[in-house]
Amino acid sequence: MDFAALLRTPMTEALGCRPDWRGALAQLSAPTIVIAGAHDKAAPAAQQREIAAWSRRARFEVIEAGRDLFTEAPQMLRAAVARLERIESLQAVAA
């Protein structure tokens, strides 16, 4: 049995062909937040933490949710974005 063929689907092939954005993320100067769902199996928090590390101004947060943060934890999602806005406001005042 060809297990590699079983794993090849249009979705997995498309994901394998995505461009590498690390260089672009490193150039970001805008405030950025990467929010991971603690129970997201498709995009685990460790993977999201790595993405946040590519951007020098990114904050990383984990929310107790799965894949769909917007419907599973909308209040926590809004709170995370509000924290980023407060931090950026305080840094602007201090500058």
Coordinates of all heavy atoms in Angstrom, one line a residue:
M1 N 0.8 -1.2 0.0 CA 0.0 0.0 0.0 C 0.9 1.2 0.0 O 1.9 1.3 0.7 CB -0.9 0.0 1.2 CG -1.8 1.2 1.3 SD -3.0 1.1 2.6 CE -4.2 0.0 1.9
D2 N 0.6 2.2 -0.8 CA 1.3 3.4 -1.0 C 0.7 4.5 0.0 O -0.2 5.2 -0.3 CB 1.3 3.9 -2.4 CG 2.1 5.2 -2.6 OD1 2.7 5.7 -1.7 OD2 2.0 5.7 -3.8
F3 N 1.3 4.5 1.2 CA 0.8 5.5 2.2 C 1.0 6.9 1.8 O 0.2 7.8 2.1 CB 1.4 5.2 3.6 CG 0.9 4.0 4.2 CD1 1.7 2.8 4.3 CD2 -0.4 3.9 4.7 CE1 1.2 1.7 4.8 CE2 -0.9 2.7 5.3 CZ -0.1 1.6 5.3
A4 N 2.1 7.2 1.1 CA 2.3 8.6 0.7 C 1.2 9.0 -0.2 O 0.7 10.2 -0.2 CB 3.7 8.7 0.0
A5 N 0.7 8.1 -1.1 CA -0.4 8.5 -2.0 C -1.6 8.7 -1.2 O -2.4 9.6 -1.6 CB -0.6 7.4 -3.0
L6 N -1.8 8.0 -0.2 CA -3.0 8.2 0.7 C -3.0 9.6 1.3 O -4.1 10.2 1.5 CB -3.1 7.1 1.8 CG -3.5 5.7 1.3 CD1 -3.5 4.8 2.5 CD2 -4.9 5.7 0.7
L7 N -1.8 10.0 1.7 CA -1.7 11.3 2.3 C -1.8 12.5 1.3 O -2.0 13.6 1.7 CB -0.4 11.4 3.1 CG -0.3 10.5 4.3 CD1 1.1 10.6 4.9 CD2 -1.4 10.7 5.3
R8 N -1.6 12.2 0.1 CA -1.6 13.3 -1.0 C -3.1 13.6 -1.3 O -3.7 12.7 -1.9 CB -0.8 12.9 -2.2 CG 0.6 13.4 -2.2 CD 1.2 13.2 -3.6 NE 1.0 12.0 -4.2 CZ 1.8 10.9 -4.0 NH1 2.8 11.0 -3.2 NH2 1.5 9.8 -4.7
T9 N -3.5 14.7 -1.0 CA -4.8 15.2 -1.4 C -4.6 16.6 -1.9 O -3.6 17.2 -1.8 CB -5.8 15.3 -0.1 OG1 -5.3 16.3 0.8 CG2 -5.9 13.9 0.6
P10 N -5.6 17.1 -2.6 CA -5.5 18.5 -3.1 C -5.2 19.5 -2.0 O -4.4 20.4 -2.2 CB -6.9 18.8 -3.7 CG -7.4 17.5 -4.1 CD -6.9 16.5 -3.1
M11 N -5.7 19.3 -0.8 CA -5.5 20.2 0.3 C -4.0 20.1 0.8 O -3.3 21.1 0.9 CB -6.4 19.9 1.5 CG -6.1 20.7 2.7 SD -6.3 22.5 2.4 CE -8.0 22.6 2.9
T12 N -3.5 18.8 1.0 CA -2.1 18.7 1.5 C -1.1 19.2 0.4 O -0.1 19.8 0.8 CB -1.8 17.3 1.9 OG1 -2.0 16.4 0.8 CG2 -2.6 16.8 3.1
E13 N -1.4 19.0 -0.8 CA -0.6 19.5 -1.9 C -0.6 21.0 -1.9 O 0.5 21.6 -2.1 CB -0.9 18.8 -3.2 CG -0.6 17.4 -3.3 CD -0.9 16.7 -4.6 OE1 -1.3 17.4 -5.6 OE2 -0.8 15.5 -4.7
A14 N -1.7 21.6 -1.8 CA -1.8 23.0 -1.8 C -1.0 23.6 -0.6 O -0.3 24.6 -0.7 CB -3.3 23.5 -1.7
L15 N -1.1 23.0 0.6 CA -0.4 23.5 1.7 C 1.1 23.4 1.5 O 1.8 24.3 2.0 CB -0.9 22.7 3.0 CG -2.3 23.0 3.5 CD1 -2.6 22.1 4.6 CD2 -2.4 24.4 3.9
G16 N 1.5 22.3 0.9 CA 2.9 22.2 0.6 C 3.5 23.2 -0.4 O 4.7 23.4 -0.4
C17 N 2.6 23.8 -1.1 CA 3.1 24.8 -2.2 C 3.0 26.2 -1.7 O 3.2 27.1 -2.5 CB 2.3 24.6 -3.4 SG 2.5 23.0 -4.2
R18 N 2.6 26.5 -0.5 CA 2.5 27.8 0.0 C 3.8 28.6 0.0 O 4.8 28.0 0.3 CB 1.9 27.9 1.4 CG 0.5 27.4 1.4 CD -0.1 27.6 2.8 NE 0.7 27.1 3.8 CZ 0.3 26.9 5.1 NH1 -0.9 27.2 5.4 NH2 1.2 26.4 6.0
P19 N 3.8 29.9 -0.3 CA 5.0 30.6 -0.3 C 5.6 30.7 1.1 O 4.9 30.6 2.1 CB 4.6 32.0 -0.8 CG 3.2 32.1 -0.6 CD 2.6 30.7 -0.6
D20 N 6.9 30.9 1.2 CA 7.6 31.1 2.5 C 7.5 32.6 2.8 O 8.2 33.4 2.2 CB 9.0 30.6 2.4 CG 9.7 30.7 3.7 OD1 9.2 31.2 4.7 OD2 10.8 30.1 3.8
W21 N 6.7 33.0 3.8 CA 6.5 34.4 4.2 C 7.5 34.8 5.3 O 7.4 36.0 5.8 CB 5.1 34.6 4.7 CG 4.1 34.5 3.6 CD1 3.4 33.4 3.3 CD2 3.8 35.4 2.6 NE1 2.6 33.6 2.2 CE2 2.9 34.9 1.8 CE3 4.3 36.7 2.4 CZ2 2.3 35.6 0.7 CZ3 3.7 37.4 1.3 CH2 2.8 36.8 0.5
R22 N 8.4 34.0 5.8 CA 9.3 34.4 6.9 C 10.0 35.7 6.6 O 10.1 36.5 7.5 CB 10.2 33.3 7.2 CG 9.5 32.1 8.0 CD 10.5 31.0 8.2 NE 10.7 30.3 7.0 CZ 11.3 29.2 6.9 NH1 11.8 28.6 7.9 NH2 11.4 28.6 5.7
G23 N 10.6 35.8 5.4 CA 11.3 37.1 5.1 C 10.4 38.3 5.2 O 10.8 39.3 5.8
A24 N 9.2 38.2 4.7 CA 8.3 39.3 4.8 C 7.9 39.6 6.2 O 7.7 40.8 6.6 CB 7.1 39.0 3.9
L25 N 7.6 38.6 7.0 CA 7.2 38.8 8.4 C 8.4 39.5 9.1 O 8.1 40.3 10.0 CB 6.9 37.5 9.0 CG 5.6 36.8 8.5 CD1 5.5 35.4 9.1 CD2 4.4 37.6 8.9
A26 N 9.6 39.2 8.8 CA 10.7 39.8 9.5 C 10.8 41.3 9.2 O 11.3 42.1 10.0 CB 12.0 39.1 9.1
Q27 N 10.2 41.7 8.1 CA 10.2 43.1 7.7 C 9.1 43.9 8.3 O 9.1 45.2 8.2 CB 10.2 43.3 6.2 CG 11.4 42.6 5.5 CD 12.7 43.1 6.0 OE1 12.9 44.4 6.1 NE2 13.7 42.3 6.3
L28 N 8.1 43.3 8.9 CA 6.9 44.0 9.4 C 7.3 44.9 10.5 O 8.0 44.6 11.4 CB 5.9 43.0 10.0 CG 5.0 42.3 9.1 CD1 4.1 41.3 9.9 CD2 4.1 43.2 8.3
S29 N 6.8 46.2 10.4 CA 7.1 47.1 11.4 C 5.8 47.5 12.2 O 5.8 48.2 13.2 CB 7.7 48.4 10.9 OG 6.8 49.0 9.9
A30 N 4.7 47.0 11.7 CA 3.4 47.3 12.3 C 3.2 46.4 13.5 O 3.7 45.2 13.5 CB 2.3 47.0 11.3
P31 N 2.4 46.8 14.5 CA 2.1 46.0 15.6 C 1.4 44.7 15.1 O 0.5 44.9 14.3 CB 1.2 46.8 16.5 CG 1.3 48.2 16.0 CD 1.8 48.1 14.6
T32 N 1.7 43.6 15.6 CA 1.2 42.3 15.1 C 0.9 41.4 16.3 O 1.6 41.4 17.3 CB 2.1 41.6 14.2 OG1 2.6 42.5 13.2 CG2 1.6 40.4 13.5
I33 N -0.2 40.7 16.2 CA -0.5 39.7 17.2 C -0.9 38.4 16.5 O -1.6 38.3 15.5 CB -1.7 40.1 18.1 CG1 -1.9 39.2 19.3 CG2 -3.0 40.3 17.3 CD1 -2.8 39.7 20.4
V34 N -0.3 37.3 17.0 CA -0.5 36.0 16.5 C -1.3 35.3 17.7 O -0.8 35.2 18.8 CB 0.8 35.2 16.2 CG1 0.4 33.8 15.7 CG2 1.5 35.9 15.1
I35 N -2.5 34.8 17.4 CA -3.3 34.2 18.4 C -3.6 32.8 18.0 O -4.1 32.5 16.9 CB -4.7 35.0 18.5 CG1 -4.4 36.5 18.8 CG2 -5.5 34.4 19.6 CD1 -5.6 37.3 18.8
A36 N -3.3 31.9 18.9 CA -3.4 30.5 18.7 C -4.6 29.9 19.5 O -4.7 30.4 20.7 CB -2.1 29.7 18.9
G37 N -5.3 28.9 19.0 CA -6.2 28.2 19.8 C -5.5 27.1 20.5 O -4.8 26.3 19.9
A38 N -5.6 27.0 21.8 CA -4.9 25.9 22.6 C -5.2 24.5 22.1 O -4.4 23.6 22.2 CB -5.3 26.1 24.1
H39 N -6.4 24.3 21.5 CA -6.8 23.0 21.1 C -6.9 22.8 19.6 O -7.5 21.9 19.1 CB -8.1 22.6 21.8 CG -8.1 22.9 23.2 ND1 -7.4 22.1 24.1 CD2 -8.7 23.8 24.0 CE1 -7.5 22.6 25.3 NE2 -8.4 23.6 25.3
D40 N -6.2 23.7 18.9 CA -6.2 23.7 17.4 C -5.2 22.6 16.9 O -4.0 22.8 17.1 CB -5.8 25.1 16.9 CG -5.9 25.2 15.4 OD1 -6.1 24.1 14.7 OD2 -5.9 26.3 14.9
K41 N -5.7 21.6 16.4 CA -4.8 20.5 15.9 C -4.2 20.8 14.5 O -3.1 20.4 14.2 CB -5.6 19.2 15.8 CG -6.2 18.8 17.1 CD -5.3 17.9 17.9 CE -6.1 17.3 19.0 NZ -5.9 18.0 20.2
A42 N -4.9 21.6 13.7 CA -4.4 22.0 12.4 C -3.3 23.0 12.4 O -2.4 22.9 11.5 CB -5.6 22.5 11.5
A43 N -3.3 23.9 13.3 CA -2.2 24.9 13.5 C -1.9 25.0 14.9 O -2.4 25.9 15.7 CB -2.7 26.2 12.9
P44 N -1.1 24.1 15.4 CA -0.8 24.0 16.9 C -0.1 25.3 17.4 O 0.6 26.0 16.6 CB 0.2 22.8 17.0 CG 0.1 22.1 15.7 CD -0.4 23.0 14.7
A45 N -0.3 25.5 18.7 CA 0.3 26.8 19.3 C 1.8 26.9 19.1 O 2.3 28.0 18.8 CB -0.1 26.8 20.8
A46 N 2.5 25.8 19.1 CA 4.0 25.8 18.9 C 4.3 26.4 17.5 O 5.2 27.2 17.4 CB 4.6 24.5 19.1
Q47 N 3.5 26.0 16.6 CA 3.7 26.5 15.2 C 3.4 28.0 15.1 O 4.1 28.7 14.5 CB 2.8 25.7 14.2 CG 3.0 26.0 12.8 CD 2.0 25.2 12.0 OE1 0.8 25.2 12.2 NE2 2.5 24.5 11.0
Q48 N 2.4 28.4 15.8 CA 2.0 29.8 15.8 C 3.0 30.6 16.5 O 3.3 31.8 16.1 CB 0.6 30.0 16.4 CG -0.5 29.2 15.6 CD -0.6 29.5 14.2 OE1 -0.6 30.7 13.8 NE2 -0.6 28.5 13.3
R49 N 3.6 30.1 17.6 CA 4.6 30.8 18.3 C 5.8 31.0 17.4 O 6.4 32.1 17.5 CB 5.0 30.0 19.6 CG 6.1 30.7 20.4 CD 6.5 29.8 21.6 NE 5.4 29.3 22.4 CZ 4.8 29.9 23.4 NH1 5.2 31.2 23.7 NH2 3.8 29.4 24.1
E50 N 6.2 30.1 16.6 CA 7.3 30.2 15.7 C 7.0 31.3 14.7 O 7.9 32.1 14.4 CB 7.5 28.9 15.0 CG 8.7 28.9 14.0 CD 8.9 27.6 13.3 OE1 8.3 26.6 13.7 OE2 9.7 27.7 12.3
I51 N 5.8 31.4 14.2 CA 5.4 32.4 13.2 C 5.5 33.8 13.9 O 6.1 34.7 13.3 CB 4.0 32.2 12.7 CG1 4.0 31.0 11.8 CG2 3.4 33.4 12.0 CD1 2.6 30.5 11.4
A52 N 5.1 33.9 15.1 CA 5.2 35.2 15.9 C 6.7 35.6 16.0 O 7.0 36.8 16.0 CB 4.5 35.1 17.2
A53 N 7.5 34.6 16.2 CA 9.0 34.9 16.4 C 9.6 35.5 15.2 O 10.6 36.2 15.3 CB 9.7 33.6 16.9
W54 N 9.0 35.2 14.0 CA 9.6 35.8 12.8 C 9.4 37.3 12.6 O 10.1 37.9 11.9 CB 9.0 35.1 11.6 CG 9.3 33.6 11.4 CD1 10.4 33.0 11.9 CD2 8.5 32.7 10.8 NE1 10.4 31.7 11.6 CE2 9.2 31.4 10.9 CE3 7.3 32.7 10.2 CZ2 8.7 30.2 10.4 CZ3 6.8 31.5 9.6 CH2 7.5 30.3 9.8
S55 N 8.5 37.8 13.4 CA 8.2 39.3 13.3 C 8.7 39.9 14.6 O 8.4 39.5 15.7 CB 6.7 39.5 13.1 OG 6.4 40.9 13.2
R56 N 9.5 41.0 14.4 CA 10.1 41.6 15.6 C 9.1 42.3 16.5 O 9.4 42.5 17.7 CB 11.2 42.5 15.2 CG 10.8 43.6 14.2 CD 11.9 44.3 13.5 NE 11.3 44.8 12.3 CZ 11.6 45.9 11.8 NH1 12.5 46.7 12.4 NH2 11.1 46.3 10.7
R57 N 7.9 42.7 16.0 CA 6.9 43.4 16.8 C 5.7 42.6 17.1 O 4.7 43.1 17.5 CB 6.5 44.7 16.1 CG 7.7 45.7 16.0 CD 7.2 47.1 15.8 NE 6.3 47.5 16.8 CZ 5.5 48.6 16.5 NH1 5.5 49.2 15.4 NH2 4.6 49.0 17.5
A58 N 5.8 41.2 16.9 CA 4.6 40.4 17.1 C 4.5 40.0 18.6 O 5.5 39.7 19.3 CB 4.7 39.2 16.3
R59 N 3.3 40.0 19.1 CA 3.0 39.4 20.4 C 2.3 38.0 20.1 O 1.7 37.9 19.0 CB 2.0 40.3 21.1 CG 2.6 41.6 21.5 CD 1.6 42.5 22.3 NE 0.8 41.8 23.3 CZ 1.2 41.4 24.5 NH1 2.4 41.6 24.9 NH2 0.4 40.7 25.3
F60 N 2.4 37.1 21.0 CA 1.9 35.8 20.9 C 0.9 35.5 22.0 O 1.3 35.8 23.2 CB 3.0 34.7 20.8 CG 2.4 33.3 20.7 CD1 1.8 32.9 19.6 CD2 2.5 32.5 21.9 CE1 1.3 31.6 19.6 CE2 2.0 31.2 21.8 CZ 1.4 30.8 20.7
E61 N -0.3 35.0 21.7 CA -1.2 34.7 22.8 C -1.9 33.4 22.4 O -2.1 33.1 21.3 CB -2.3 35.8 23.0 CG -1.7 37.1 23.5 CD -2.6 37.9 24.3 OE1 -3.6 37.3 24.8 OE2 -2.4 39.1 24.4
V62 N -2.2 32.6 23.5 CA -3.0 31.4 23.3 C -4.3 31.6 24.0 O -4.4 32.0 25.1 CB -2.2 30.2 23.9 CG1 -3.0 28.9 23.8 CG2 -0.9 30.0 23.3
I63 N -5.3 31.2 23.3 CA -6.7 31.3 23.8 C -7.3 29.9 23.9 O -7.0 29.0 23.1 CB -7.6 32.1 22.8 CG1 -7.2 33.5 22.8 CG2 -9.1 31.9 23.1 CD1 -8.0 34.4 21.8
E64 N -8.0 29.6 25.0 CA -8.6 28.3 25.3 C -9.7 28.1 24.3 O -10.9 28.4 24.5 CB -9.2 28.3 26.7 CG -8.1 28.0 27.7 CD -7.4 26.6 27.5 OE1 -8.1 25.6 27.2 OE2 -6.2 26.6 27.6
A65 N -9.4 27.6 23.1 CA -10.3 27.3 22.0 C -9.7 26.3 21.1 O -8.5 26.0 21.2 CB -10.7 28.6 21.3
G66 N -10.4 26.0 20.1 CA -9.9 25.1 19.0 C -9.5 25.9 17.8 O -8.8 26.9 17.9
R67 N -10.0 25.5 16.7 CA -9.6 26.2 15.4 C -10.3 27.5 15.1 O -9.8 28.4 14.6 CB -9.9 25.1 14.3 CG -9.5 25.6 12.9 CD -8.1 25.3 12.6 NE -7.7 25.8 11.3 CZ -6.6 26.5 11.0 NH1 -5.8 26.8 12.0 NH2 -6.3 26.8 9.8
D68 N -11.6 27.5 15.5 CA -12.4 28.7 15.1 C -12.6 29.7 16.3 O -13.6 29.7 17.0 CB -13.8 28.2 14.6 CG -14.6 29.3 14.0 OD1 -14.1 30.5 13.9 OD2 -15.7 29.0 13.5
L69 N -11.6 30.5 16.4 CA -11.6 31.5 17.6 C -12.7 32.4 17.5 O -13.2 32.8 18.6 CB -10.2 32.2 17.6 CG -9.0 31.4 17.6 CD1 -7.8 32.4 17.5 CD2 -8.9 30.6 18.8
F70 N -13.1 32.8 16.3 CA -14.2 33.8 16.2 C -15.5 33.3 16.8 O -16.3 34.1 17.3 CB -14.4 34.2 14.7 CG -13.3 34.9 14.2 CD1 -12.3 34.3 13.4 CD2 -13.2 36.3 14.4 CE1 -11.3 35.0 12.9 CE2 -12.1 37.0 13.9 CZ -11.1 36.4 13.1
T71 N -15.8 32.0 16.6 CA -17.1 31.5 17.2 C -16.9 30.8 18.5 O -17.8 30.8 19.3 CB -17.8 30.5 16.2 OG1 -16.9 29.4 15.9 CG2 -18.2 31.2 14.9
E72 N -15.8 30.2 18.8 CA -15.6 29.5 20.0 C -15.2 30.4 21.2 O -15.6 30.1 22.3 CB -14.5 28.4 19.9 CG -14.8 27.3 18.9 CD -13.6 26.4 18.7 OE1 -12.9 26.1 19.7 OE2 -13.4 25.9 17.6
A73 N -14.5 31.5 20.9 CA -14.1 32.3 22.0 C -14.0 33.8 21.6 O -13.0 34.4 21.7 CB -12.7 31.9 22.5
P74 N -15.1 34.4 21.2 CA -15.1 35.7 20.6 C -14.7 36.8 21.7 O -13.9 37.7 21.4 CB -16.5 36.0 20.1 CG -17.3 35.0 20.8 CD -16.5 33.8 21.1
Q75 N -15.1 36.6 22.9 CA -14.7 37.5 24.0 C -13.2 37.5 24.2 O -12.6 38.5 24.4 CB -15.5 37.3 25.3 CG -17.0 37.5 25.1 CD -17.7 36.2 24.6 OE1 -17.1 35.2 24.4 NE2 -19.0 36.3 24.5
M76 N -12.6 36.3 24.3 CA -11.2 36.2 24.5 C -10.4 36.7 23.4 O -9.4 37.3 23.6 CB -10.8 34.7 24.8 CG -11.3 34.2 26.2 SD -10.5 32.7 26.6 CE -11.6 31.5 25.8
L77 N -10.9 36.5 22.2 CA -10.2 37.1 21.0 C -10.3 38.6 21.0 O -9.2 39.2 20.8 CB -10.9 36.6 19.7 CG -10.4 37.0 18.4 CD1 -8.9 36.5 18.3 CD2 -11.2 36.4 17.3
R78 N -11.4 39.2 21.3 CA -11.5 40.7 21.4 C -10.6 41.2 22.5 O -9.9 42.2 22.4 CB -12.9 41.1 21.7 CG -13.8 41.1 20.4 CD -15.1 41.8 20.6 NE -16.0 41.2 21.6 CZ -16.8 40.2 21.3 NH1 -16.9 39.8 20.0 NH2 -17.6 39.7 22.2
A79 N -10.5 40.5 23.7 CA -9.7 40.9 24.8 C -8.2 40.9 24.4 O -7.4 41.8 24.7 CB -9.9 40.0 26.0
A80 N -7.8 39.9 23.6 CA -6.4 39.8 23.2 C -6.0 41.0 22.3 O -5.0 41.6 22.4 CB -6.1 38.5 22.5
V81 N -6.9 41.3 21.3 CA -6.7 42.4 20.4 C -6.7 43.7 21.2 O -5.8 44.6 21.0 CB -7.7 42.4 19.3 CG1 -7.6 43.7 18.5 CG2 -7.6 41.2 18.4
A82 N -7.6 43.9 22.2 CA -7.6 45.1 23.0 C -6.3 45.2 23.8 O -5.8 46.4 24.0 CB -8.8 45.0 24.0
R83 N -5.7 44.1 24.3 CA -4.5 44.2 25.0 C -3.4 44.7 24.1 O -2.6 45.6 24.5 CB -4.1 42.8 25.6 CG -4.8 42.5 26.9 CD -4.2 41.3 27.5 NE -4.4 40.0 26.8 CZ -5.5 39.3 26.8 NH1 -6.5 39.7 27.5 NH2 -5.6 38.2 26.1
L84 N -3.3 44.3 22.9 CA -2.3 44.8 21.9 C -2.5 46.3 21.7 O -1.6 47.0 21.7 CB -2.5 44.0 20.6 CG -1.5 44.5 19.5 CD1 -0.1 44.3 19.8 CD2 -1.9 43.9 18.1
E85 N -3.8 46.7 21.5 CA -4.1 48.1 21.3 C -3.6 49.0 22.5 O -3.0 50.0 22.3 CB -5.5 48.3 21.0 CG -6.0 47.8 19.7 CD -7.5 47.8 19.5 OE1 -8.2 47.9 20.5 OE2 -7.9 47.8 18.3
R86 N -3.9 48.5 23.7 CA -3.4 49.2 24.9 C -1.9 49.3 25.0 O -1.4 50.3 25.3 CB -4.0 48.5 26.2 CG -5.4 48.9 26.5 CD -5.8 48.6 28.0 NE -5.6 47.1 28.2 CZ -6.5 46.2 27.9 NH1 -7.6 46.5 27.3 NH2 -6.3 44.9 28.2
I87 N -1.2 48.2 24.8 CA 0.2 48.2 24.8 C 0.8 49.2 23.8 O 1.7 49.9 24.1 CB 0.8 46.7 24.6 CG1 0.4 45.9 25.8 CG2 2.2 46.8 24.3 CD1 0.6 44.4 25.5
E88 N 0.2 49.1 22.6 CA 0.7 50.0 21.5 C 0.5 51.5 21.9 O 1.3 52.4 21.7 CB 0.1 49.7 20.2 CG 0.6 48.4 19.6 CD 2.1 48.4 19.4 OE1 2.7 49.4 18.9 OE2 2.8 47.4 19.8
S89 N -0.7 51.8 22.5 CA -1.0 53.1 22.9 C 0.0 53.6 24.0 O 0.4 54.7 24.0 CB -2.4 53.2 23.5 OG -3.4 53.0 22.5
L90 N 0.3 52.8 25.0 CA 1.2 53.1 26.0 C 2.6 53.3 25.5 O 3.3 54.3 25.9 CB 1.2 52.0 27.1 CG 0.0 51.9 28.0 CD1 0.0 50.6 28.8 CD2 -0.3 53.1 28.8
Q91 N 3.0 52.5 24.6 CA 4.3 52.7 24.0 C 4.4 54.0 23.2 O 5.4 54.6 23.2 CB 4.7 51.5 23.1 CG 5.0 50.2 23.9 CD 5.3 49.0 23.1 OE1 5.0 49.0 21.9 NE2 5.7 48.0 23.8
A92 N 3.3 54.3 22.5 CA 3.3 55.6 21.7 C 3.4 56.8 22.6 O 4.1 57.8 22.3 CB 2.0 55.6 20.9
V93 N 2.7 56.7 23.8 CA 2.8 57.8 24.7 C 4.2 58.0 25.3 O 4.7 59.0 25.5 CB 1.7 57.6 25.8 CG1 1.9 58.6 27.0 CG2 0.3 57.8 25.3
A94 N 4.8 56.8 25.6 CA 6.1 56.8 26.2 C 7.2 57.3 25.2 O 8.3 57.7 25.6 CB 6.5 55.4 26.7
A95 N 7.0 57.1 24.0 CA 8.0 57.5 23.0 C 8.2 59.0 22.8 O 7.7 59.9 23.1 CB 7.6 56.9 21.6

